[in-house]
Amino acid sequence: MSKLMSWRELEIGCIVPEPGNSVRYRTGDWRALRPVLDKSKCIKCLLCWVYCPEPAIIRHEDDSVEIDYNYCKGCGICANECPVKAITMVPEGGE
Amino acid sequence: MAGQVKSIKEIPREELFAPGHRLCAGCGIPPLVRIVLKAVPGPKVVVTATGCLEVATTIFPYTSWRVPWVHNAFENAAATASGIEAAFRILEKKRGIKRPKIIVFGGDGGTFDIGLQALSGALERGHDMIYICYDNEAYMNTGIQRSGATPRGAATTTSPAGRVIPGKMERKKDLLGIAIAHGVRYAATLNPAFPVDMYNKIVKAASVEGPTVLHYLCPCPTGWRFDPSRTIEVARLAVMTRMWPLYEYEDGRYRITVMVKKPRPIEDYIKLQGRFRHLLQPENKWVLDQLRRDVEEFWERLVRLASASE
């Protein structure tokens, strides 16, 4: 939200008429550690996908996964739970 | 049963819970909510009691919900859901509108303490709803105050461990015991480290006509004081140490769904969490022993109930 809405623009009862519009709020900038996925190690077990609290793991048609850095808060659950250690956490801003 | 899954791969892709919510990194609540919205078939309405889930997913003008969602107050989530269910019954009768499933999410504060009488009323009247308690074992949203769900020995801001008391002195309430005493047809415990078990229990709960109660262990990195990357690890240890038995109750029968034959010592679960750190000091050994007895007693009772159900 760039500017504050006036009361005239609000819905009655302040309902939010657009489902799931929190996707416009990018929580990726909370992140201090960045998960990096090594696709060659991934066995497509989907554990990261099922455990991710955001959800910030994109599950593709072939069950391969991708990390959505727009929302990932860098908690590191995916790296900790990955059975083949395909995800490593690296500090943001570093190399 | 139809709709149940054998592996994670069979869990549907559709996400009805959007990212961009402001729950803490490593929060244990979304793994529950995501699975619930995937497992409950057809149209649904979600009611949320005041709590972390409510405040962090609906910060105006945003919402993370892609299903109809309502919040009313702290104490009356079950009463609000009862009203919605009753209204849909009338709509079904008068206009033939298909009745959605009503799903209620309440934290442990909104379920064990503040919302207990509303829940009791809803269970007694028999409204068709799934009541899910996400239990992070204290009032996390307001700053980690003790609740009726806080386990013995845990330090919170209102049961601080120090010279006077070694954390909370009382044991945790048996929520499912209370629900089962109301005569619900289905009740079960859930744990995020066992997503397939969790999914299948939710499918079962959704298939029951009438109230069902599910109790979910929700590890909280902020309140339990552990590293956010260990949320699932902590949840798994809770099952492996028998601190959180996974079982279900169905039409008078108990069944342990994840049998823990050789439990790990409860210290394995305790030592990961700052809220229990003081229990490892020698002068507090008696609290740890008492907690261990609580865990053993509950497990033995459960084993007796399960074997009597066979």
Side-chain angles (χ1 to χ4, degrees):
Chain A
M1 196 172 58
S2 51
K3 73 169 191 41
L4 213 59
M5 277 193 255
S6 92
W7 64 270
R8 288 183 191 84
E9 294 167 82
L10 298 178
E11 298 284 330
I12 290 174
C14 286
I15 62 158
V16 180
E18 187 190 353
N21 65 354
S22 67
V23 293
R24 287 208 295 276
Y25 191 90
R26 304 288 169 91
T27 51
D29 56 6
W30 293 19
R31 194 171 56 240
L33 294 171
R34 183 185 183 85
V36 177
L37 169 69
D38 180 350
K39 286 213 169 191
S40 65
K41 284 189 189 166
C42 178
I43 53 166
K44 302 182 183 179
C45 67
L46 296 176
L47 282 175
C48 55
W49 171 76
V50 84
Y51 292 143
C52 180
E54 301 317 318
I57 304 275
I58 301 161
R59 176 182 173 184
H60 293 297
E61 270 312 302
D62 63 346
D63 283 347
S64 63
V65 292
E66 194 183 326
I67 295 157
D68 188 344
Y69 295 110
N70 286 325
Y71 306 108
C72 170
K73 292 170 187 161
C75 67
I77 290 177
C78 52
N80 194 30
E81 291 298 323
C82 179
V84 292
K85 301 282 163 231
I87 303 173
T88 41
M89 301 301 288
V90 298
E92 276 292 344
E95 278 306 299
Chain B
M1 175 181 275
Q4 290 198 324
V5 298
K6 289 194 186 71
S7 71
I8 292 172
K9 283 190 190 284
E10 290 174 35
I11 295 176
R13 286 184 159 75
E14 189 187 26
E15 285 307 340
L16 294 171
F17 185 73
H21 57 75
R22 278 168 260 181
L23 289 160
C24 304
C27 178
I29 310 172
L32 164 77
V33 176
R34 289 178 58 215
I35 297 252
V36 169
L37 297 181
K38 287 167 193 287
V40 177
K44 37 202 162 272
V45 172
V46 173
V47 183
T48 307
T50 305
C52 288
L53 179 65
E54 175 255 328
V55 297
T57 60
T58 56
I59 296 175
F60 192 78
Y62 299 110
T63 177
S64 291
W65 299 88
R66 291 172 177 144
V67 292
W69 177 91
V70 62
H71 163 251
N72 190 345
F74 211 144
E75 68 283 6
N76 62 5
T80 307
S82 304
I84 294 168
E85 190 258 5
F88 274 112
R89 270 190 196 281
I90 299 290
L91 284 174
E92 186 182 43
K93 202 167 144 191
K94 290 197 171 164
R95 298 193 199 159
I97 293 168
K98 186 173 158 43
R99 197 151 44 85
K101 197 78 189 176
I102 317 291
I103 305 166
V104 191
F105 289 106
D108 53 295
T111 305
F112 282 67
D113 301 346
I114 302 177
L116 189 62
Q117 64 140 353
L119 174 62
S120 175
L123 298 181
E124 183 264 329
R125 290 186 302 268
H127 294 283
D128 186 21
M129 64 165 82
I130 308 173
Y131 191 101
I132 305 167
C133 172
Y134 63 93
D135 183 0
N136 47 28
E137 303 191 322
Y139 290 82
M140 297 314 184
N141 172 43
T142 49
I144 319 164
Q145 291 84 9
R146 89 188 269 292
S147 78
T150 306
R152 198 194 294 278
T156 66
T157 52
T158 48
S159 64
R163 270 179 294 113
V164 183
I165 49 162
K168 186 184 158 180
M169 299 292 284
E170 300 79 19
R171 66 177 287 176
K172 188 185 171 94
K173 269 192 214 177
D174 176 14
L175 176 71
L176 288 194
I178 296 168
I180 292 163
H182 282 78
V184 299
R185 286 185 50 207
Y186 188 79
T189 53
L190 310 174
N191 184 296
F194 297 83
V196 173
D197 176 77
M198 173 152 85
Y199 188 96
N200 290 338
K201 282 172 175 169
I202 297 161
V203 168
K204 247 188 202 179
S207 74
V208 171
E209 173 80 29
T212 55
V213 179
L214 301 173
H215 188 191
Y216 171 79
L217 180 74
C218 181
C220 173
T222 311
W224 297 9
R225 290 185 279 141
F226 61 83
D227 188 87
S229 67
R230 309 185 98 163
T231 301
I232 303 295
E233 192 184 336
V234 167
R236 188 179 296 115
L237 277 169
V239 175
M240 292 313 173
T241 53
R242 293 182 178 165
M243 288 283 291
W244 190 265
L246 281 171
Y247 65 100
E248 63 181 3
Y249 167 89
E250 196 178 3
D251 293 323
R253 287 166 186 276
Y254 286 82
R255 193 169 73 87
I256 297 174
T257 57
V258 175
M259 187 44 105
V260 185
K261 287 235 168 68
K262 284 191 184 136
R264 306 223 347 220
I266 61 168
E267 285 85 345
D268 288 4
Y269 177 68
I270 301 294
K271 70 184 178 200
L272 287 182
Q273 303 171 47
R275 64 172 176 159
F276 286 128
R277 189 166 298 143
H278 56 283
L279 295 187
L280 299 172
Q281 288 163 0
E283 68 268 27
N284 289 329
K285 189 178 172 291
W286 64 278
V287 189
L288 191 64
D289 289 340
Q290 220 170 356
L291 182 64
R292 193 181 292 116
R293 264 200 308 281
D294 290 348
V295 170
E296 280 167 10
E297 266 172 29
F298 193 80
W299 178 268
E300 281 161 20
R301 184 168 149 246
L302 212 54
V303 169
R304 276 200 304 276
L305 286 167
S307 60
S309 303
E310 272 161 12

